[in-house]
Amino acid sequence: MKVQGSVAFVTGANRGLGEQFVRALLDAGAAKVYAGARNPAQVTVPGAVPVPVDITDHDSVRAAAEQAQDVTLLINNAGSTTRAHILTTELDSFRTEFETHVLGTLAMSRAFAPVLGGNGGGAIVNVLSVLSWVSITASAGYAAAKSAEWSVTNALRVALAEQQTQVTALHVSYLATEMAAAVTGPKADPAAVARATLDGVEAGLHEVLADDVSRRVHAALSQGPEELYPQLHGGRSLV
């Protein structure tokens, strides 16, 4: 998969990491970049093609796919967080997380799969999280949805292999974006993460681990809950 000359569609492209994906794609020589957003008037990157899309509205998703029949690279970036606590937040917040990150990503991938297949295969990037692999009590709804989205991504990778569509998952911790504005710890540069992800796509990677936190948690996956959750025995959380 080559970014130069590709036709890309980015969801959640009006701010944060999505906007940086649009900029990185254009800088890398993409022939066209559709910038999907609920309110396309908020897309401000010169050269992008604004497209209205709400990934939780299946009619909106189908309309976007019908408009963008030349796409060769889909970046499922759109997301949000309700900061749903595992014990105290209403279950509707958990439903919102799953509607967005799991069903929204799946709807976009299903709608664009035949488009990508018809254009030679292409690639899908799903923006996941380090919280796909480890949970935190204060944002358990987001973590649970991202974990389910990881599973969906793995299934898509296998299902679309026959049509030669590459599926790359991005795992990253906190980014210096509006969503993590309240976080006081280290944050990754979204522009650098976008560039690294596109490099990973061109290298044919199944997963891009964009920061040290993601690499540390990934390394602990095979070691069990004691390593993933050191706070169980008086240690500090990995995230």
Side-chain angles (χ1 to χ4, degrees), residues 17 21 125-134 146-147 149-151 153-154 157 168-175 188 193 196-197 206-215 217-218 221:
L17 180 59
F21 268 122
V125 173
N126 285 347
V127 176
L128 302 181
S129 170
V130 66
L131 297 184
S132 307
W133 296 326
V134 63
K146 284 298 183 182
S147 184
E149 188 182 0
W150 177 41
S151 181
T153 299
N154 288 330
R157 183 177 295 120
T168 299
L170 166 63
H171 294 271
V172 66
S173 185
Y174 297 114
L175 292 166
V193 170
T197 304
H206 295 308
E207 293 181 325
V208 173
L209 312 186
D211 59 4
D212 289 340
V213 175
S214 296
R215 288 185 282 272
V217 171
H218 183 264
L221 279 174

Side-chain angles (χ1 to χ4, degrees), residues 30-179:
K32 184 191 297 184
V33 180
Y34 293 103
R38 286 183 175 180
N39 180 1
Q42 294 178 344
V43 174
T44 59
V45 180
V49 181
V51 177
V53 65
D54 176 352
I55 68 169
T56 66
D57 181 333
H58 293 181
D59 289 337
S60 174
V61 168
R62 283 191 291 269
E66 288 171 3
Q67 177 178 342
Q69 287 288 302
D70 50 350
V71 165
T72 60
L73 172 59
L74 170 65
I75 298 183
N76 285 314
N77 164 77
S80 62
T81 179
T82 64
R83 293 178 176 82
H85 190 283
I86 190 62
L87 295 178
T88 59
T89 304
E90 294 293 333
L91 291 180
D92 282 348
S93 293
F94 285 78
R95 292 189 182 94
T96 296
E97 299 280 12
F98 275 77
E99 286 284 347
T100 303
H101 298 110
V102 184
L103 299 181
T105 296
L106 180 56
M108 286 293 297
S109 299
R110 284 181 167 184
F112 277 89
V115 175
L116 295 169
N119 292 329
I124 295 175
V125 173
N126 285 347
V127 176
L128 302 181
S129 170
V130 66
L131 297 184
S132 307
W133 296 326
V134 63
S135 191
I136 56 176
T137 57
S139 195
Y142 181 86
K146 284 298 183 182
S147 184
E149 188 182 0
W150 177 41
S151 181
V152 165
T153 299
N154 288 330
L156 285 169
R157 183 177 295 120
V158 174
L160 297 178
E162 186 174 352
Q163 72 170 40
Q164 298 185 332
T165 296
Q166 173 185 326
V167 178
T168 299
L170 166 63
H171 294 271
V172 66
S173 185
Y174 297 114
L175 292 166
T177 63
E178 182 180 335
M179 186 182 292

